[in-house]
Amino acid sequence: MDQTNRNEVEFTTYDRLLIAWENSMEMVRDFEMYSKRIEDQKVKEVFKQFAEDEGMHASRLRELLLDYRDQKH
């Protein structure tokens, strides 16, 4: 390993899946909160739909995360 790489932090596939899943879950919570606090019905519905869509992403990421974990152990 050369000197320039000694200070780098390496993320594994599992790490990236975990980070993506956590971020996705946070976006679900944010979009849900926005949809409940906005009075404009059109905007409310957009945020509600985004929360549902992101929930599907979070669910898929969790599946991948658990599959990856189980394959490595």
Side-chain angles (χ1 to χ4, degrees), residues 1 5 8 13 18 20 26 35 37 44 51 58 63-64 69 73:
M1 177 181 290
N5 291 335
E8 290 184 21
T13 300
L18 181 60
E26 186 172 343
S35 74
R37 293 184 178 177
K44 178 188 283 278
E63 289 174 17
L64 289 168
R69 179 202 62 194
H73 292 111

Side-chain angles (χ1 to χ4, degrees), residues 41 59 61:
Q41 195 61 36
S59 178
L61 286 165

Side-chain angles (χ1 to χ4, degrees), residues 22-39:
E22 290 173 338
N23 289 340
S24 189
M25 291 298 294
E26 186 172 343
M27 289 178 70
V28 170
R29 289 187 295 270
D30 288 349
F31 289 143
E32 281 182 7
M33 179 183 60
Y34 299 160
S35 74
K36 293 176 182 176
R37 293 184 178 177
I38 291 177
E39 294 178 17

Side-chain angles (χ1 to χ4, degrees), residues 51-68:
E52 291 174 14
D53 294 346
E54 198 59 43
M56 291 180 3
H57 298 158
S59 178
R60 182 67 179 122
L61 286 165
R62 185 173 187 274
E63 289 174 17
L64 289 168
L65 181 66
L66 295 176
D67 287 348
Y68 194 82

